[in-house]
Amino acid sequence: MNAGPAPHRDPAAAPDWTRVRADFPLLERQVHGKPLIYFDSANTGQKPASVIAATDAFYRHHNANVSRAVHTLGTEATDAYEGARRKLARFLNVRADELVLCSGTTFAINLVAYSWALPRLGPGDVILVSRMEHHANIVPWQLVAQRTGASVRVAEILPDGSLDLPGLYAAMTADVKLLAVTHVSNVLGTVNPVRDICREARKRGIVTVVDGSQAVPHRPVDVAAIGCDFYALTGHKMCGPTGTGALWARREHLQAMPPFIGGGEMIKEVSFDGTVFNDPPHKFEAGTPNIAGFIGLGAAVDFLESVGMARIEARETELLAHATEELGKIEGLRIFGTAPEKAAVISFLIEGAHAHDLATLLDLEGVAIRSGQHCAHPLLQFFGVAATCRASLAFYNTHAEIEAFVAALKKARRLLA
Ligand code: PLP
């Protein structure tokens, strides 16, 4: 299939970051007459031209439904869709038949909640959830708890925004059936030692759900090596289209779990006497999927691999260090989340300035940051603040942008003083 122009780079050479950035057409635009500085990649990532071209090429040349028609277009669409699953599986070091394609992390975690947890948990059981989770990894567990009589227990964090690991391990008592933990915090940037955590949980017979939304776009992730039971991710934060994502699960879970949503594609045979479900992962993919989106996600994987995940991680570490140092020079600025292992997400406040006012003034300078609670109310409650500003960087950002952002922030601070 013609998936559009793929980026060509020499895997042995250090990337030319200016050229990498040039692959993102949107980064060329202006906002309020100023060059856009996009520091909101934890919210959603920008898309390289090859991803846009892949989705465009699908609709122009191959559009058909998947797994249904024997005609040429149907076969091409199915091959491309399944090809994207294989690419993503290879990228994560998992088997393709253990990878359920879905609309994103929110759906993926709800699938575990409704299909794994709901039929298994009951009164007296505990779901252990860390304080730093996104609402997508809190609310589904509260819903399960309400319906089963199980309870939700919180694993606390330390003031620097790292997980209190001794506390977490002590909280893994015999009544804990499931642990839900993020790989990387979307607010603090904290990188959790998920491999160690999952090993400790497994020793105690606790099933683990890892939210990989903020990890997969920014560092090499070997899901098999983590040793979790479930790993959820979202495509739009990793240069892919919105409405794409995946749940990886151990095969034994996928086989034992009932379907979450019923309909076409997830069945082998249907009669009014009963239905025989399809094999995993298709058992969990009812209805017409976001075919063009997943083909775009496959192109996003190609793109990320062509840059190199280890290089992306190193580049973002360097940008984080620069931004942290520059922000540290601003009087009255407080950074939330200073864990030793940290991704390029910086939540901050400036004394006397409201987060939304700062974000609005920065927008006038062309700088896009997020302000608010970042879908993590319990985490902000821990820090005793109603909102923060969040600058989240990606490999396509530059050192010059960091300097312009800091200058804009100083200007905003003067205006609000
Ligand atoms: N988990 C984390 C850590 C996130 O940052 C996000 C998105 O911001 C989500 C879950 C939800 O992802 P989605 O909205 O793509 O389902």
Side-chain angles (χ1 to χ4, degrees), residues 178-241:
L178 184 139
L179 165 70
V181 66
T182 194
H183 194 163
V184 174
S185 162
N186 64 310
V187 181
L188 308 168
T190 309
V191 180
N192 287 320
V194 284
R195 202 171 167 161
D196 297 344
I197 293 170
C198 291
R199 190 182 50 243
E200 290 301 317
R202 206 163 175 74
K203 273 192 216 160
R204 296 161 172 83
I206 299 169
V207 163
T208 46
V209 182
V210 177
D211 176 350
S213 309
Q214 300 288 348
V216 176
H218 303 291
R219 49 184 43 233
V221 173
D222 180 338
V223 172
I226 292 171
C228 54
D229 288 279
F230 297 98
Y231 195 92
L233 65 112
T234 208
H236 66 95
K237 296 187 202 285
M238 52 181 284
C239 297

Side-chain angles (χ1 to χ4, degrees), residues 42-43 103-107 109 133-134 136-137 182 184-186 211 213-214 234-237 244 370 374-375 390:
N43 206 350
S103 62
T105 297
T106 303
F107 188 98
I109 294 174
E133 298 311 307
H134 185 282
N137 208 15
T182 194
V184 174
S185 162
N186 64 310
D211 176 350
S213 309
Q214 300 288 348
T234 208
H236 66 95
K237 296 187 202 285
T244 64
R370 187 166 168 193
H374 319 296
C375 302
R390 181 186 70 183

Side-chain angles (χ1 to χ4, degrees), residues 110-132:
N110 276 277
L111 169 55
V112 184
Y114 284 92
S115 192
W116 187 88
L118 200 57
R120 283 170 182 75
L121 302 192
D125 290 335
V126 174
I127 302 166
L128 186 56
V129 176
S130 101
R131 162 75 65 179
M132 70 173 82

Side-chain angles (χ1 to χ4, degrees), residues 31-32 34 36 357-369:
V31 169
H32 299 300
K34 308 266 168 60
L36 168 68
D357 293 341
L358 281 171
T360 305
L361 289 175
L362 286 180
D363 181 58
L364 294 175
E365 299 295 321
V367 183
I369 62 160

Side-chain angles (χ1 to χ4, degrees), residues 125-197:
D125 290 335
V126 174
I127 302 166
L128 186 56
V129 176
S130 101
R131 162 75 65 179
M132 70 173 82
E133 298 311 307
H134 185 282
H135 295 160
N137 208 15
I138 298 176
V139 181
W141 308 122
Q142 290 176 329
L143 294 173
V144 167
Q146 274 166 18
R147 288 173 59 173
T148 59
S151 58
V152 174
R153 181 181 294 163
V154 182
E156 283 300 346
I157 61 169
L158 301 172
D160 72 351
S162 49
L163 262 179
D164 173 4
L165 288 177
L168 172 67
Y169 298 150
M172 290 182 182
T173 47
D175 45 4
V176 176
K177 296 291 178 294
L178 184 139
L179 165 70
V181 66
T182 194
H183 194 163
V184 174
S185 162
N186 64 310
V187 181
L188 308 168
T190 309
V191 180
N192 287 320
V194 284
R195 202 171 167 161
D196 297 344
I197 293 170

